[in-house]
Amino acid sequence: MSGSVVHGSRRPAEILPRPVLMDISRLLSRAGSAVPTGIDRVELEYALYLMRFPASQVMFVAFHPVGRIGLLPRRLTDRFLRILARAWAGGTRPSRTASLLAGLLLQAAALGAAGRAKHRRTYLLLSHHHLMRDDVIEVFLKRADATMAVMVHDLIPIEYPEYARPTEPDRHRRRMDTVGRLAERVIVPSRPVDEALRDYLAPHGHCPPVGVVHHGCLVPSNVPASVGNLVPDAPYFVILGTIEPRKNHLLLLNLWRQMAMEGGATPLPHLVIIGRRGWENENILDMIERCPALQGVVHEHATLSDQAVAGLVRGARALLFPSFAEGFGLPLLEALAMGVPCLCSDLPVFREIAGDLPVYLDPLDGPGWRHAIRERCGHDRGAAAQAPPSFADWPTQVVAGLAALAVIDCGNGP
């Protein structure tokens, strides 16, 4: 969900602590993708907001595979970001224009230097996109007279290598080594990520200052009251996220198969799976596609508009979030913001961002999940036991994040 909003042209009143060079390399690489990840959404919202600042305060840069980070034309960058935002909000693949613009912007990155400035600047990298290329980043920082501020979303490939592609743990170690060596400031979305990063970097002898800033929460406006034929007229639950082992879809699929096989007088609720197919998920897909007991009861949707996703979530008996590990948990916040009950794993990060609102369960406690799901079937849809917390909007989060990343004390000057 994480509904993208194309921000207006009105310039914000805030003044950034330093001029910013924001890297949008990940967004350029996703120009042809119809289903954005949570990290894509985060980077896009920051970019859309920062585009509202004048060019004297914010410029945009990107990494080119030739081994160079270069400046991007602002007008083309603005057009690219708006096309991407509209497509993702509408649940459609970005137009061919987005891919063409991405190609033009990458060419510009290969040719355009950031140049020197009167004051030091902050190179802002909000994804892990090219953190392994510490040589390229180091050269860029010297030429642009900039310090590096980076967002670390999680250390899951290092902490839980069993949930990552085989090559990913080593790649992520290299990324975090770059953070420890080159970053002047780091922003993380939660305290567990803060602790994991400090634990990893401590033996290396240097850990830059870290600021914890929770992601903002955007719920699309005009959420439809009906979701049409996306689900049958029956009680249902939703799981939202990339289909991969870490998200623990198998727990739910096995529970649904068990409930379907046992039958009973109580109607079987349906399960709606929303998210693109990830990796190492053969067992999950086999159950979705080939298990007879789940046919017509489990529904998979990979590409939906933000409004459709929000409508499905709002109409659900609850959002199910049985992950084994998370760096944050945007779907949890979004569901709570709409007043939808949530059943989620008992993870420290979920307790940090959601407090006592969800029902917490061990991700391996099948009977506990089954009992909680059956119990929720007897409640009205979207009837949360408590009012959801108040979540700050994205602009506030952007400013808070940049303040956490600032490398200048107020009294020290540039």
Side-chain angles (χ1 to χ4, degrees):
M1 191 162 37
S2 305
S4 251
V5 174
V6 181
H7 295 290
S9 59
R10 182 176 59 84
R11 290 182 176 178
E14 299 88 349
I15 296 178
L16 301 176
R18 273 188 179 179
V20 170
L21 300 167
M22 180 179 174
D23 195 304
I24 61 166
S25 302
R26 181 182 175 97
L27 293 179
L28 294 179
S29 72
R30 303 284 291 165
S33 300
V35 184
T37 67
I39 294 176
D40 297 337
R41 297 288 199 182
V42 169
E43 184 169 313
L44 178 61
E45 292 301 333
Y46 269 76
L48 289 170
Y49 181 67
L50 290 176
M51 181 60 74
R52 296 168 56 187
F53 286 82
S56 59
Q57 292 189 55
V58 176
M59 291 181 284
F60 294 87
V61 299
F63 168 85
H64 191 282
V66 298
R68 181 184 180 89
I69 298 173
L71 192 65
L72 304 179
R74 190 175 179 94
R75 183 173 297 178
L76 287 182
T77 302
D78 180 66
R79 187 180 176 195
F80 169 75
L81 293 175
R82 290 175 181 274
I83 291 175
L84 207 61
R86 291 190 185 98
W88 286 351
T92 61
R93 189 175 301 278
S95 66
R96 189 167 181 269
T97 302
S99 295
L100 292 174
L101 286 172
L104 291 174
L105 289 169
L106 278 176
Q107 290 180 20
L111 301 173
R116 308 291 291 186
K118 293 181 180 180
H119 307 295
R120 297 205 77 186
R121 296 175 287 192
T122 297
Y123 170 57
L124 182 61
L125 181 60
L126 297 176
S127 73
H128 305 156
H129 181 269
H130 50 275
L131 274 173
M132 294 186 299
R133 295 300 305 271
D134 60 331
D135 55 335
V136 177
I137 295 174
E138 189 168 22
V139 168
F140 173 75
L141 293 176
K142 291 178 180 178
R143 288 179 176 173
D145 191 20
T147 58
M148 181 179 180
V150 63
M151 179 178 287
V152 172
H153 292 268
D154 60 65
L155 279 80
I156 290 174
I158 298 173
E159 295 180 290
Y160 304 96
E162 65 271 25
Y163 298 134
R165 296 182 179 93
T167 59
E168 192 62 13
D170 285 340
R171 289 165 57 87
H172 210 58
R173 289 188 187 93
R174 290 174 59 189
R175 297 183 188 109
M176 295 306 102
D177 290 344
T178 299
V179 171
R181 192 169 77 83
L182 296 180
E184 289 291 328
R185 285 293 189 275
V186 182
I187 186 169
V188 295
S190 63
R191 285 192 294 271
V193 179
D194 177 14
E195 294 167 1
L197 180 63
R198 293 178 189 275
D199 289 344
Y200 177 80
L201 292 179
H204 299 265
H206 175 66
C207 181
V210 180
V212 177
V213 179
H214 294 163
H215 295 324
C217 177
L218 287 173
V219 176
S221 58
N222 303 319
V223 177
S226 172
V227 290
N229 60 355
L230 293 178
V231 293
D233 186 17
Y236 67 89
F237 293 80
V238 167
I239 177 172
L240 176 59
T242 303
I243 301 175
E244 56 173 302
R246 177 171 60 89
K247 300 292 186 178
N248 204 13
H249 290 76
L250 271 180
L251 169 78
L252 301 180
L253 293 173
N254 278 303
L255 288 179
W256 249 263
R257 179 173 61 178
Q258 184 183 61
M259 291 189 293
M261 296 294 289
E262 291 177 356
T266 305
L268 180 67
H270 289 240
L271 176 64
V272 179
I273 299 173
I274 305 174
R276 66 185 180 91
R277 295 185 174 188
W279 48 90
E280 304 290 342
N281 57 15
E282 291 82 2
N283 292 340
I284 305 169
L285 301 184
D286 284 345
M287 286 199 69
I288 294 173
E289 296 173 353
R290 296 166 51 194
C291 178
L294 300 182
Q295 303 311 302
V297 178
V298 173
H299 313 268
E300 180 189 4
H301 298 288
T303 305
L304 295 173
S305 69
D306 287 341
Q307 283 74 20
V309 174
L312 281 170
V313 172
R314 177 167 287 178
R317 288 298 192 268
L319 175 81
L320 307 179
F321 210 158
S323 293
F324 289 112
E326 292 287 344
F328 191 68
L330 280 174
L332 179 62
L333 289 192
E334 291 163 345
L336 290 173
M338 291 190 291
V340 176
C342 297
L343 313 181
C344 66
S345 295
D346 194 358
L347 302 179
V349 63
F350 290 165
R351 289 191 177 272
E352 176 185 339
I353 66 176
D356 296 330
L357 292 180
V359 174
Y360 293 103
L361 297 155
D362 188 297
L364 295 175
D365 181 12
W369 281 88
R370 175 173 171 164
H371 174 76
I373 289 167
R374 281 297 194 187
E375 187 177 58
R376 277 303 316 166
C377 285
H379 293 265
D380 293 335
R381 63 181 63 186
Q386 305 178 50
S390 175
F391 300 113
D393 59 6
W394 267 104
T396 301
Q397 291 294 309
V398 172
V399 173
L402 292 172
L405 289 167
V407 293
I408 308 174
D409 291 329
C410 294
N412 291 343

